[in-house]
Each structure stands twice: as structure tokens, then as C-alpha cells.
Amino acid sequence: IMDMIRHGNENMILTDKLHRWSCDLLVAQPEHLAESALENIRELFQVPQLALRLWSLDEAHSQAPYAQGVTDAVKDLATSLDTPYVGPNTGYEAVQWLPEPTQAASLALLALRAAPGQAPFGLLVLASPDAQRFNSQMGTDLLERLAELAGAALSVLRA
């Protein structure tokens, strides 16, 4: 029973953080939306390293740092992700977008879509030096919601 209570409390804390992050996305100006989304994930969820790349953007955003260096291989990877990848860093190209790629022991890779079922237009990389932070045994419900919300919010930057 104590474990159930502890897990319930942990889930409530995560839900509250996701709610706060969502509210921040709603009030962010388009020119600061990508940076705000990353910074808030870093702070609220204590993720050491993050990277974001978007493609098929409106001309006003096409020169932003988050719109650079996206290869067809990365786009194919994003298309293949029906759910977030969580697990060890096995040398994905997107890891090179991180500030310190050699420090990324575990990853979560989230394809960003404007709506479920649509083609992805971005990839969000969450990384940790802790090899168990993102692992194949963890549930991905929260990460799926994070990807859905980020995709919907960031879709305003698309062409």
C-alpha cells in the first residue's frame, strides 16, 4: 500500500509539472517558443541535456538554430518512432546536437507531430549521464504526452 501511495504521489508531481510546462507553452511568443519549451523541460523535469530540431518551417523560422542540420536519416528516424525511444545511447545522429554528446548515457527520442497520425516535423532529444534515467523498462506515457503537446505547440512555426 505504501508503494502505491508513493507512486501515486510521484505521478501527481509529474502531472503537475506537465501542466505547468503546457501553460508556459501557451503563453510563449512564437519567436521564443522553442527555446522556452527546452528551458522549461530542463528546469521542471531536471533533464541535463536537450536538443530540438524542426523541419518544414515557415520562412521566418527557417534560419533558427533549431532548424539547422537535419538530415534525411534523422527525418526517417522520426518517422519510425510511433512511441518515444527510451534506452541507451547507441550512436544516434541526433545525439550530436547535444551540447555534450559524449555525456549522454541514456536517451529519450520524441518525434514531434502537429497531431497524432501526421508526419513528424521535428525531433526532441532528452539525454542524461545516468544510464538508467531513460530505460526500456520505464513507461513512456508522460513522454508521449510531452511529445504531443510540444508537437501541437511548435506546429505554429511550420510553413
Side-chain angles (χ1 to χ4, degrees), residues 68-90:
Q68 308 305 311
V70 180
T71 65
D72 287 339
V74 168
K75 292 176 185 179
D76 290 344
L77 170 64
T79 300
S80 74
L81 295 173
D82 292 326
T83 59
Y85 164 82
V86 289
N89 177 3
T90 58

Side-chain angles (χ1 to χ4, degrees), residues 67-151:
Q68 308 305 311
V70 180
T71 65
D72 287 339
V74 168
K75 292 176 185 179
D76 290 344
L77 170 64
T79 300
S80 74
L81 295 173
D82 292 326
T83 59
Y85 164 82
V86 289
N89 177 3
T90 58
Y92 288 103
E93 178 183 338
V95 172
Q96 297 307 310
W97 303 337
L98 297 166
E100 296 181 44
T102 59
Q103 300 298 312
S106 66
L107 305 172
L109 303 175
L110 290 68
L112 304 180
R113 295 172 167 82
Q118 292 189 1
F121 70 95
L123 186 68
L124 178 60
V125 180
L126 288 70
S128 175
D130 176 358
Q132 294 305 308
R133 171 74 185 267
F134 302 109
N135 66 72
S136 61
Q137 303 305 310
M138 69 184 292
T140 59
D141 290 346
L142 178 77
L143 293 173
E144 289 174 34
R145 300 302 168 263
L146 193 75
E148 289 173 3
L149 290 165

Side-chain angles (χ1 to χ4, degrees), residues 47-62:
V47 177
Q49 291 195 76
L50 298 115
L52 172 69
R53 291 296 186 276
L54 305 173
W55 50 91
S56 302
L57 297 180
D58 182 83
E59 183 62 33
H61 304 286
S62 65

